[in-house]
Amino acid sequence: MIPVEVVQGDSPVILGLPHTGTWLPAHVEAALNPRGRVLADTDWHIERLYDGLLPGATTVRATFHRYVIDANRGPDDASLYPGQNTTGLVPLTDFDGAPIWEVEPSAEEIATRKAQFHAPYHAALAAEIARVKAKHGVAILYDCHSIRSVIPFLFQGVLPDFNIGTNGGASCAPAIEAATQEVAAATGRTHVLNGRFKGGWTTRHYGQPGQGVHAIQMELAQSTHLATEAPPFAYDAQKAEALRGPLKEILTRLAALAPELRA
């Protein structure tokens, strides 16, 4: 199994897809408990939701599941949200705080997964950022995510539909943040900027606006495009179609900003 799939495009926008993969090595699947094997914390159908929205966009997609290793966590496993419940580089629990392993991975196993999965994903992403920046003078990384809208272990209440993360404005130019927020607000849907999800390691690590690399994370509530936020996590085509319009507008506006953002 190839750990990362790359589709190169000629747009200044790169779509990161670190959590849509569902592939598990056989020994990893065998070590999961029945709850873990449900793979409930997948970013279900996000690749389908964004497919074709921005012609020419480059996509970098992890094929492995986040329970193998989380491509949106730093290799040092430092907490992205100190003092809050979260999951780590190799999660030991699901988003509800329940154990997912019959046999937890050893330090040696985690090191192997870093080398075999985490490192290749980020090598591919870094290479595409460099390629796109060389072509356009700027690269805009839009990291695509989704999560269940109600998860008491991680946050109170119901999550907004659009959760925009820019690491407090540090990971991208103000124009990128403003354009994304403006489109989200115009939908009339609930939205928040740098709320519970401020951008994962990918956004924080690669977002270097002064160097011509801008990064923004979009965490969508799964209620916006799934028939149900429980197994079988089916895609709702009618809901999704209503969402694809605003997402297309966001990506189109970000691409249009590229010439004025050149480093």
Side-chain angles (χ1 to χ4, degrees), residues 73-74 76-88 204:
R73 299 291 185 270
D76 61 355
D77 202 16
S79 177
L80 294 173
Y81 298 98
Q84 296 178 280
N85 288 337
T86 187
T87 53
R204 303 181 198 197

Side-chain angles (χ1 to χ4, degrees), residues 45-56:
H45 307 295
I46 282 293
E47 71 280 17
R48 179 177 176 183
L49 184 67
Y50 280 93
D51 184 44
L53 292 185
L54 182 65

Side-chain angles (χ1 to χ4, degrees), residues 68-69 75 77 89-90 92 105-115:
V68 177
I69 197 163
D77 202 16
L89 181 63
V90 174
L92 299 182
S106 65
E108 293 77 13
E109 169 67 13
I110 292 171
T112 297
R113 296 186 197 182
K114 280 202 279 189

